Amino acid sequence: MKRANANRNTIDMNMLGVFRYSKRALELVWATSSQLTIGLAVLTLIAGVLPAAMAYVGQLIVDAVVAAMDSYQTTGTIDYFPALYYVMIEAFIVLIMSGSQRGLAALQAILRELLGQRVNMTILEKAQSLSLAQFEDSEFYDKLVRARRKASSRPLALVNKTFALLQNGISLISFAVLLWQFSPWALVLLVLGALPAFIAEAKFSGDAFLLARWRSPEFRQQNYLETLLAREDNIKEVRLYQLSKRFLGRYRDIFLKLFRENKRLIVRRETWGFALGIIGTLVFYSAYGWIVTSTVIGAITLGQMTMYLLLFKQGQGAVASSLTSISGMYEDNLYLSNLYEYLEQPTLASQIGQTVGPQPGDGIRFEQVSFSYPGNPAPSLNNVDLHIRPGTSLAIVGENGSGKTTLIKLLTRLYQPTHGRILLDGLDLKDWDEQALLTRIGVIFQDFVRYQFIVGENIGAGDETRFHDEDGWHQAAELGKATDFIGDLSDGYHTQLGRWFKGGQELSGGQWQKIALARAFMREKADILVLDEPTSAMDAAAEAEIFAHFQEHTQSKMAILISHRFSTVRLANEIIVMEHGEIKERGTHEQLLEQAGQYAHLFALQAKGYQ
Ligand code: ADP
């Protein structure tokens, strides 16, 4: 019983769904270009009335021919004029019709370009206002993928179909006016003949949509396998570990699974389409017979017969294509529902807040901060208390998974603490104005971005306002100790990096890290600098040298370093040791050695390794 109700509900929703997004799609198209939309509407109207006009002129031609033949038999004179006159009119109508169809095609193609760009921009802009947690949520990610995949062409498709429906509707009304004179029953036949095919069409397009929707995770897997098998950063390892065959196999298995369902749907759709089409054909030929007998008994003229047959044939076509339009609209609507579902994701509350704190110079304070990731009940941080003053550096050590990066993510407000609060200059991070907060922070993550741009832009990215400031690039590169190898590159600061684009040069891991360091130095206004293992690809001596140099140039700032190397860590003013999201030990290098705890143990282990 429950199930039946649920089914009824979805059916009701589906029926409503046909027009649910038409208005919004139309608004979108209108906003993209009102002129083109008006053009589309006008041409649609013209293309709608012309078929009936043609059928009517067809009747006039045949009747004029019959009249001319009659008059030749009775009077012996031939009068070509009326028939040829109508032929000329028909030719003229055909010209206008083909003109308006070309015009429609052109307008639609232009609108499609504009609209695709507009929708893609909207999707990407929206992505900028979402929280990081949303990106890490695979269900949300599915929504994004689905919205991006088809939705850029769908709004116009929906509007085109709405207009096509309108055009067919106009044609049908004009046909109906003419057919009515023959018999109102003819109209009823026309509609009944096409109805079964429509119902099948509507059902199958609904099935096709659901199938596509369910498959989003599989599509993602396929995309991922493609990047493993065909992208330079992965192919190296995949080849050497001889994984290609296995991955190709997985790719094929996913395809086969999807293909089987797809094939079934295609076969069912076409079989039913054919079977129900037979009904339409039978109805049409019964009407044909009816019109022919009416002509034989003299109830209508030969010209009328030609017109009615044409009307009937075209009318049936128009009904069928309006119904297909409706079922297609239903499919477009479902796709659009994806787009709007994505666009209506709640965004972060707009971060308008204060630009200075009540205690400037207080630095950063963590007060009893705990945090759990969404969907991961185990806390990744637990009751963390911490105070970092300007002019000091803090090093964080701890095993993988102990919560080091999570601490940084909270500090940079990518996530909000589940409990407790984080203050900067005495003001809770969440009360800071976003702009003011972000300009104060410079972070190099472990997985910093290797922009496939030129060297200079890779450095300039550190300060958006000085993206193209060449002098700035040079100074920052100097501080990041990147000048030596940049000088060796073919175009210096204008060398394209990475392999994605033509002429790009790939750098070594250590060189990329120097670029990232230079990027951090570019962020002059930032007084909180965070290095999350950015020097791991360098040797221990180089790392220690870079950090010492880093401290020297960031004297009044707060520097936070995550590293596994004690040769670097020991340089920091304060060191904390993290374990299972908690701070286990804290102090200077000497103090921690004295405590003879975890830190001292790990330090001894590493020192041994170097002996
Ligand atoms: P570290 O940087 O010290 O290696 P992290 O801060 O990255 O450790 O991770 C701390 C804990 O949080 C780990 O147990 C990890 O499983 C969990 N974690 C990290 N990132 C996420 C995430 N995006 N979603 C869920 N859990 C996460």
Side-chain angles (χ1 to χ4, degrees):
M1 185 63 208
K2 237 182 187 166
R3 212 190 154 83
N5 274 341
N7 279 344
R8 196 164 321 128
N9 283 343
T10 42
I11 289 169
D12 289 349
M13 262 182 55
N14 291 347
M15 289 304 192
L16 275 178
V18 175
F19 295 104
R20 185 178 297 156
Y21 288 97
S22 292
K23 186 166 160 269
R24 296 180 82 162
L26 199 60
E27 279 166 6
L28 198 61
V29 174
W30 178 263
T32 304
S33 166
S34 51
Q35 286 172 338
L36 291 179
T37 316
I38 292 173
L40 214 57
V42 170
L43 289 182
T44 303
L45 191 74
I46 295 175
V49 280
L50 290 182
M54 255 174 73
Y56 187 70
V57 175
Q59 175 202 345
L60 296 179
I61 293 172
V62 175
D63 282 345
V65 170
V66 173
M69 280 159 54
D70 281 351
S71 94
Y72 177 63
Q73 272 167 11
T74 49
T75 64
T77 53
I78 303 176
D79 186 4
Y80 295 106
F81 178 72
L84 286 179
Y85 171 70
Y86 291 131
V87 168
M88 263 168 53
I89 292 184
E90 188 171 318
F92 183 65
I93 295 178
V94 167
L95 280 180
I96 298 179
M97 195 139 99
S98 76
S100 60
Q101 266 153 7
R102 286 278 170 179
L104 275 175
L107 290 183
Q108 285 172 359
I110 295 170
L111 258 174
R112 185 173 311 124
E113 300 266 320
L114 291 174
L115 201 64
Q117 164 71 2
R118 191 185 173 95
V119 172
N120 279 326
M121 284 288 282
T122 317
I123 292 177
L124 295 175
E125 271 167 11
K126 173 76 183 184
Q128 306 315 303
S129 68
L130 296 167
S131 74
L132 220 66
Q134 281 168 312
F135 276 93
E136 289 182 355
D137 171 2
S138 68
E139 211 169 293
F140 163 78
Y141 202 74
D142 273 356
K143 274 186 199 158
L144 175 62
V145 170
R146 283 204 304 263
R148 293 241 332 256
R149 193 146 35 85
K150 282 267 169 97
S152 61
S153 60
R154 287 283 171 179
L156 185 65
L158 182 56
V159 170
N160 283 346
K161 284 189 194 108
T162 313
F163 279 138
L165 196 63
L166 214 66
Q167 180 182 334
N168 285 316
I170 296 167
S171 299
L172 274 175
I173 292 170
S174 51
F175 294 161
V177 170
L178 297 175
L179 261 184
W180 190 266
Q181 298 161 12
F182 177 63
S183 162
W185 285 110
L187 283 179
V188 177
L189 274 183
L190 194 68
V191 175
L192 282 186
L195 209 56
F198 160 62
I199 294 173
E201 193 59 42
K203 176 179 162 18
F204 288 119
S205 64
D207 289 356
F209 170 77
L210 287 178
L211 208 59
R213 208 175 149 101
W214 288 330
R215 281 172 173 179
S216 193
E218 273 109 348
F219 281 131
R220 268 175 53 216
Q221 268 189 26
Q222 269 197 323
N223 275 344
Y224 176 63
L225 287 169
E226 277 171 30
T227 63
L228 287 185
L229 288 164
R231 244 183 48 189
E232 44 107 4
D233 39 354
N234 298 319
I235 194 74
K236 193 168 57 192
E237 182 171 320
V238 170
R239 282 268 176 81
L240 290 179
Y241 283 168
Q242 294 157 297
L243 293 167
S244 313
K245 227 168 152 181
R246 175 176 300 274
F247 291 168
L248 274 173
R250 276 197 193 178
Y251 189 79
R252 193 195 46 228
D253 290 344
I254 296 174
F255 167 77
L256 286 178
K257 184 169 161 242
L258 299 182
F259 175 69
R260 268 194 290 275
E261 291 169 30
N262 228 358
K263 195 170 76 181
R264 262 189 51 214
L265 188 66
I266 293 171
V267 171
R268 273 175 46 219
R269 190 176 193 152
E270 298 310 322
T271 313
W272 277 102
F274 173 68
L276 297 173
I278 292 176
I279 298 180
T281 312
L282 289 180
V283 170
F284 169 66
Y285 277 96
S286 337
Y288 203 145
W290 180 16
I291 292 169
V292 169
T293 42
S294 303
T295 318
V296 172
I297 60 171
I300 52 175
T301 68
L302 210 55
Q304 279 171 324
M305 181 187 90
T306 326
M307 177 176 78
Y308 288 141
L309 288 182
L310 197 62
L311 287 180
F312 219 89
K313 199 161 195 164
Q314 290 196 347
Q316 201 199 22
V319 169
S321 76
S322 347
L323 297 175
T324 325
S325 287
I326 291 178
S327 71
M329 278 167 73
Y330 162 93
E331 211 174 321
D332 292 336
N333 267 286
L334 290 167
Y335 274 107
L336 274 173
S337 73
N338 264 331
L339 174 67
Y340 284 108
E341 214 173 274
Y342 162 78
L343 290 179
E344 279 156 12
Q345 285 286 314
T347 34
L348 298 171
S350 78
Q351 307 286 7
I352 304 167
Q354 300 171 43
T355 51
V356 285
Q359 293 166 270
D362 185 54
I364 300 161
R365 277 178 196 273
F366 277 60
E367 293 181 350
Q368 294 285 304
V369 172
S370 297
F371 178 74
S372 307
Y373 283 98
N376 184 355
S380 297
L381 283 186
N382 208 358
N383 283 334
V384 170
D385 277 305
L386 198 61
H387 186 198
I388 311 167
R389 290 179 193 80
T392 60
S393 55
L394 172 81
I396 311 177
V397 286
E399 291 174 358
N400 290 328
S402 57
K404 304 182 295 293
T405 303
T406 306
L407 196 137
I408 303 304
K409 285 184 185 165
L410 292 187
L411 172 63
T412 49
R413 210 172 68 177
L414 291 174
Y415 289 92
Q416 314 267 351
T418 328
H419 292 291
R421 52 181 197 157
I422 304 172
L423 307 171
L424 173 61
D425 292 348
L427 180 67
D428 195 324
L429 280 191
K430 69 177 175 4
D431 298 326
W432 275 86
D433 170 78
E434 174 149 66
Q435 197 65 29
L437 179 66
L438 293 183
T439 43
R440 292 191 54 181
I441 303 176
V443 186
I444 314 177
F445 282 111
Q446 259 167 67
D447 53 351
F448 60 86
V449 183
R450 294 155 194 233
Y451 294 102
Q452 309 267 321
F453 299 147
I454 61 170
V455 174
E457 289 172 335
N458 261 286
I459 299 174
D463 183 354
E464 204 277 324
T465 56
R466 296 190 299 143
F467 196 77
H468 286 295
D469 174 3
E470 297 220 8
D471 290 337
W473 298 349
H474 291 244
Q475 283 163 18
E478 196 81 50
L479 293 170
K481 297 204 174 281
T483 41
D484 47 341
F485 76 87
I486 293 175
D488 293 340
L489 293 172
S490 56
D491 284 323
Y493 286 85
H494 291 271
T495 310
Q496 168 74 34
L497 291 185
R499 293 223 184 83
W500 282 34
F501 304 107
K502 199 163 169 261
Q505 291 187 30
E506 193 47 282
L507 300 179
S508 74
Q511 288 170 331
W512 269 116
Q513 289 185 338
K514 286 183 176 170
I515 295 272
L517 276 171
R519 190 182 300 158
F521 278 113
M522 189 80 189
R523 208 164 178 78
E524 272 177 345
K525 283 178 237 139
D527 61 348
I528 304 168
L529 290 163
V530 183
L531 308 180
D532 182 355
E533 293 190 58
T535 42
S536 55
M538 299 174 194
D539 57 65
E543 184 185 282
E545 187 196 344
I546 281 192
F547 185 64
H549 169 81
F550 186 80
Q551 271 188 316
E552 209 174 289
H553 286 89
T554 55
Q555 273 179 1
S556 60
K557 306 189 176 190
M558 291 166 262
I560 301 170
L561 169 81
I562 298 181
S563 173
H564 287 293
R565 295 211 180 101
F566 290 84
S567 45
T568 312
V569 167
R570 65 187 298 173
L571 301 174
N573 302 121
E574 192 186 1
I575 300 164
I576 57 173
V577 181
M578 295 201 61
E579 202 182 285
H580 303 306
E582 294 180 9
I583 298 181
K584 277 280 162 225
E585 293 167 27
R586 63 174 88 208
T588 61
H589 176 69
E590 287 71 25
Q591 288 167 345
L592 288 172
L593 285 187
E594 259 171 46
Q595 285 179 25
Q598 175 81 348
Y599 182 87
H601 173 66
L602 290 173
F603 179 74
L605 269 184
Q606 209 171 74
K608 216 166 161 189
Y610 279 111
Q611 276 168 6

